[in-house]
Amino acid sequence: MNGTPIDRLFGPESVAVVGASPDATYSGTLIENLLEYGFAGELYLVNPNRERAWGRTCYDSIDDVPTTVDLVIVSVPRQYVVKTIRSAGERGVPIALVITAGFAEADETGRDLEKALADVASETGIRVCGPNTLGVASGHHGTVATSTSSRPPQPGPLGLVSQSGALAFTTFFERAADERIDFGYVVATGNEADLTLSEYVTYLAGQDHVDAICAYIEGLEEPRDFMVAAENAVRSGTAVIAIKVGKSDSAAAAALSHTGSVTGDDDAWDAAFEQVGVERVHDVSEMLSRARAHAAFDPPETDGVCIASTSGGLGSLLADMAATRGIEVPSLEAETEQALLEMDELLTFDELHNPIDIRGYGAEILTEIADVLFDDDGYDVYVFAIGLSAVDERAERIVEQIETIAERVEAPIFVLWTGRKEPLDRPDPQPYERLRETVPVYYDPGACMDAIASLVRFGDARERLTTESARTDLEDGDRSAFEFESDRVLSWTEAESLLESYDLDTVPSGLAHDPDEAVEIADEHGYPVVLKVDSPGIPHRTEADAVRIDLESPNEVRAAYERILDNARSFDPDATIDGVLVQPYRPDGVEALAGITDDPTFGPLVTVAPGGRDVELHDGVVRVPPLTRDEAERAIRETALDDLLDGYRDGPEADIDSLASAVVNLGRLAANEDIAELDLNPILVDEDGISIVDILVRTG
């Protein structure tokens, strides 16, 4: 077939299985699945120890196969894998699926073999899925190249990319299939010696029939590549829902031993997901409940939800859940309320509100109720909450009505069915099970509202990203001319010069080398002034009691100069002291912090938080640079700075725009310079702008 190597991975017209044997658990079951579940292409078997298997000829090597296949599947002892891949690559095979384990996840020998495998793939041009993968499946092509699937996938609108093969097939896929949630594509990425999870995300986002991608992530070598892939997916209208493990030490250790993955800092992952519109979930049921919604509907134009419930209590519960998820439950229009009150079957004589308590009687006239609600322009999402049995004759009538309702509108319709599911004496499928073929059906109120929120948030993220610059456009690639010695703290003069090159202006400062020079600088600034030691060996000046503020006279400046030097020398006799900084005293303004840290997985990260001496008392927000202007402001507003900058306790509003611009510029610096640690604390923010009062920079 034509197309990319990944096209041929999911939809090969010819396959060679190296290590094919009915006696081998993995390759034997994989071949049986290929044949049983609908693979219609040419299948070649490679096993030098057999003449025939499955009624087919067995060839001695990939070189002996009579044609160049689209896909070679490798399940041989690890010491033979690299040679096999080299032969396939030199033969012109576009892609290989390496089932064999025992590579980087195992031992030093395995790590060496995995590097050799990656090198051979690069040299010969063959792409490799794996090693240590349980395989792939595609319901759109009839390909089931795995030993662990009990049924073939259907050609559904969902893609699944998983760094755990067992979870992919025996948990995500099987549980989804039980609930009629169809993953049209499933790939277990294995150790990713060549093809990466990010590349599969990019591929799936490019398939017109994929509406959402579910990803199970343990760790990524290049997480920024994933950010680009996910952002492009969301921009193009494909939702990305991810489980990322590694919050706990035990999960991180398990991931390392499982696929050799380093999980990375969890705050950084949260930031990365938020920035590119990925929805992070924490268990299988959360992922599947949201995926079901994305498979059924596009995001609504607004988040206005109408709830019709056979139980008033259930409706109230859903309304509260909507509020906690930021979803609107608008009031009924007067005409809508009156039309409902005129329905005798509802037995309502006073007033109705959203959520609408239709009682059990309303379940008999759902189509009439829906017609009235659809005429109300205040809603774009509809929830029918049924607190009745889902397995009796009445349930059959309810299902028929909802199926009719779903045909009348394109708006998202969700069914929450909380009644009995255990079958009576009715044959399967039960009524509620049949309804799942038409609309998303949920059994838990929280799961239902989470799914609606997921649709709404995806729509918001897509709109936001399409109006912002893409991450690839933010990468300016211009390294500065600064070449500092690694792992050292910069002096104020060095740090000031570095910041100014990124349009980060510090408070006016002068470096004094004696008391008289300090007075001269203070006279130029005007009183009051601040004095602080400038010493790379004393990065945290207050710990050495080497700062004096609000100095109002030359005599106070001279005395402060001497005291600062004495305290600094007592604190660290070996520290190099460059002098004493003299700055104008700025008593007013909101104290903010902006900084850079170096994460072992993501590299440089930018942090924003309330600043000052009590910075440890406040939670900060982490972002992965570079940043857009809107990203920077959102980060600021997620901290306590939001209230402080907006005029907390009747104070004046501060210039958040200037602070956001500074955070953007700091992100540029972080992306371009080799910095291990940088603190701007405090940054004073008032109605006129910002002043960077103190700096700490340690090079990488």
Side-chain angles (χ1 to χ4, degrees):
M1 67 178 289
N2 294 323
T4 68
I6 301 181
D7 283 323
R8 303 189 192 193
L9 176 68
F10 286 114
E13 293 180 358
S14 56
V15 175
V17 180
V18 181
S21 172
D23 301 326
T25 300
Y26 285 113
S27 68
T29 308
L30 183 150
I31 291 169
E32 290 171 1
N33 286 347
L34 271 175
L35 296 173
E36 181 180 348
Y37 294 152
F39 176 65
E42 295 293 328
L43 177 62
Y44 300 94
L45 309 180
V46 177
N47 188 334
N49 300 315
R50 286 181 175 269
E51 291 187 1
R52 298 184 66 80
W54 289 278
R56 301 165 185 265
T57 299
C58 287
Y59 298 93
D60 287 345
S61 71
I62 192 68
D63 295 322
D64 297 320
V65 173
T67 187
T68 300
V69 296
D70 288 330
L71 170 66
V72 59
I73 300 174
V74 180
S75 183
V76 297
R78 67 179 184 175
Q79 62 266 31
Y80 302 114
V81 169
V82 174
K83 179 181 178 181
T84 301
I85 295 301
R86 180 178 293 280
S87 296
E90 291 175 348
R91 179 83 187 265
V93 177
I95 191 162
L97 177 68
V98 180
I99 305 295
T100 306
F103 287 84
E105 82 284 1
D107 54 26
E108 190 65 36
T109 299
R111 285 188 284 275
D112 292 342
L113 286 171
E114 187 166 316
K115 182 180 184 306
L117 175 60
D119 291 342
V120 166
S122 178
E123 292 167 12
T124 63
I126 190 172
R127 302 308 307 270
V128 174
C129 175
N132 186 29
T133 174
L134 284 184
V136 302
S138 170
H140 296 279
H141 303 92
T143 303
V144 183
T146 178
S147 63
T148 55
S149 178
S150 69
R151 65 190 110 178
Q154 301 302 307
L158 301 173
L160 173 61
V161 185
S162 175
Q163 291 185 320
S164 167
L167 268 180
F169 288 101
T170 65
T171 301
F172 290 114
F173 169 71
E174 296 287 2
R175 186 164 167 184
D178 285 344
E179 290 289 328
R180 303 299 187 269
I181 302 170
D182 293 326
F183 283 109
Y185 294 90
V186 182
V187 55
T189 67
N191 291 8
E192 302 180 30
D194 177 40
L195 282 168
T196 66
L197 181 144
S198 302
E199 290 177 273
Y200 297 116
V201 169
T202 296
Y203 173 83
L204 293 174
Q207 307 307 301
D208 292 338
H209 41 264
V210 173
D211 295 326
I213 300 166
C214 296
Y216 172 82
I217 303 170
E218 294 180 344
L220 299 173
E221 288 290 329
E222 298 292 342
R224 291 169 184 266
D225 289 349
F226 172 79
M227 292 182 69
V228 171
E231 179 189 57
N232 289 338
V234 174
R235 282 172 171 269
S236 67
T238 304
V240 181
I241 307 167
I243 292 177
K244 168 65 181 71
V245 298
K247 271 191 172 183
S248 66
D249 292 341
S250 55
L256 181 61
S257 62
H258 182 217
T259 59
S261 299
V262 177
T263 57
D265 181 82
D266 205 61
D267 288 342
W269 280 106
D270 280 341
F273 290 147
E274 192 278 335
Q275 286 176 252
V276 299
V278 172
E279 181 171 14
R280 184 177 188 177
V281 296
H282 300 287
D283 66 33
V284 177
S285 60
E286 287 184 7
M287 175 174 280
L288 296 183
S289 67
R290 289 159 171 78
R292 182 197 297 275
H294 290 280
F297 304 116
D298 291 329
E301 292 186 10
T302 71
D303 65 349
V305 176
C306 181
I307 301 170
S309 175
T310 63
S311 161
L314 182 56
S316 297
L317 177 62
L318 289 171
D320 278 352
M321 288 182 167
T324 60
R325 290 159 175 79
I327 300 172
E328 293 293 326
V329 183
S331 300
L332 295 170
E333 291 182 355
E335 295 84 354
T336 304
E337 181 185 11
Q338 186 58 40
L340 293 171
L341 288 171
E342 291 174 358
M343 292 183 176
D344 293 336
E345 294 86 349
L346 293 185
L347 299 179
T348 301
F349 307 102
D350 187 8
E351 59 184 18
L352 285 172
H353 306 278
N354 184 23
I356 308 152
D357 182 5
I358 65 173
R359 307 186 184 186
Y361 304 104
E364 303 294 338
I365 56 167
L366 285 177
T367 51
E368 290 88 342
I369 292 171
D371 286 340
V372 172
L373 299 179
F374 292 157
D375 287 337
D376 192 322
D377 294 332
Y379 310 109
D380 286 303
V381 182
Y382 300 88
V383 178
F384 292 93
I386 312 298
L388 304 168
S389 171
V391 293
D392 57 14
E393 290 185 6
R394 190 183 198 185
E396 288 281 7
R397 296 194 298 272
I398 292 172
V399 167
E400 290 172 0
Q401 291 184 83
I402 294 176
E403 288 174 338
T404 300
I405 291 168
E407 293 175 354
R408 295 183 180 179
V409 293
E410 295 183 358
I413 294 176
F414 292 79
V415 173
L416 171 64
W417 211 321
T418 61
R420 175 173 178 165
K421 308 298 189 306
E422 182 181 349
L424 298 172
D425 55 355
R426 304 180 61 82
D428 289 332
Q430 298 301 311
Y432 77 96
E433 292 176 320
R434 194 177 80 241
L435 184 59
R436 295 184 309 201
E437 306 291 340
T438 304
V439 297
V441 178
Y442 296 89
Y443 320 124
D444 177 79
C448 181
M449 299 314 296
D450 283 340
I452 295 171
S454 180
L455 271 185
V456 171
R457 289 168 186 156
F458 169 60
D460 292 343
R462 183 179 63 183
E463 181 178 0
R464 168 175 63 83
L465 290 174
T466 54
T467 59
E468 293 181 354
S469 298
R471 292 193 65 79
T472 51
D473 295 335
L474 294 174
E475 302 276 359
D476 58 34
D478 294 331
R479 305 289 295 187
S480 78
F482 293 97
E483 293 185 5
F484 297 117
E485 182 182 347
S486 63
D487 194 25
R488 76 175 182 87
V489 176
L490 300 187
S491 68
W492 177 276
T493 301
E494 292 170 324
E496 184 179 47
S497 178
L498 174 65
L499 294 180
E500 287 178 352
S501 69
Y502 287 92
D503 299 320
L504 293 164
D505 296 328
T506 60
V507 67
S509 302
L511 186 63
H513 299 89
D514 58 54
D516 290 337
E517 188 176 10
V519 170
E520 291 177 8
I521 298 171
D523 289 342
E524 293 175 3
H525 288 324
Y527 294 91
V529 294
V530 174
L531 267 64
K532 61 183 72 172
V533 72
D534 184 19
S535 170
I538 308 176
H540 301 289
R541 300 175 177 89
T542 55
E543 294 180 2
D545 192 21
V547 179
R548 291 294 183 271
I549 66 172
D550 198 16
L551 305 173
E552 296 186 337
S553 69
N555 287 338
E556 290 184 7
V557 168
R558 288 189 174 89
Y561 183 97
E562 298 291 356
R563 174 61 65 183
I564 285 171
L565 287 186
D566 288 343
N567 290 349
R569 288 170 180 144
S570 297
F571 181 79
D572 185 351
D574 298 325
T576 299
I577 297 176
D578 294 332
V580 174
L581 292 165
V582 184
Q583 301 171 339
Y585 178 50
R586 302 283 174 85
D588 299 322
V590 175
E591 292 184 321
L593 173 146
I596 298 171
T597 55
D598 188 35
D599 181 78
T601 300
F602 280 88
L605 301 174
V606 171
T607 299
V608 181
R613 298 185 62 175
D614 298 327
V615 62
E616 289 85 1
L617 302 179
H618 301 282
D619 290 333
V621 170
V622 174
R623 288 294 182 266
V624 181
L627 307 175
T628 66
R629 168 62 180 71
D630 288 342
E631 278 180 332
E633 181 169 344
R634 283 196 304 275
I636 294 167
R637 293 202 178 278
E638 286 182 24
T639 72
L641 288 169
D642 186 25
D643 290 335
L644 297 173
L645 295 169
D646 282 346
Y648 180 67
R649 291 184 176 176
D650 299 324
E653 289 190 13
D655 187 358
I656 192 172
D657 289 336
S658 292
L659 181 59
S661 295
V663 173
V664 170
N665 291 337
L666 187 64
R668 289 174 45 229
L669 188 158
N672 290 340
E673 305 294 343
D674 188 10
I675 300 297
E677 178 185 6
L678 185 150
D679 275 351
L680 308 180
N681 181 34
I683 304 172
L684 293 180
V685 191
D686 59 24
E687 61 268 31
D688 298 321
I690 67 168
S691 298
I692 298 173
V693 175
D694 214 347
I695 315 168
L696 166 62
V697 181
R698 184 169 61 84
T699 60

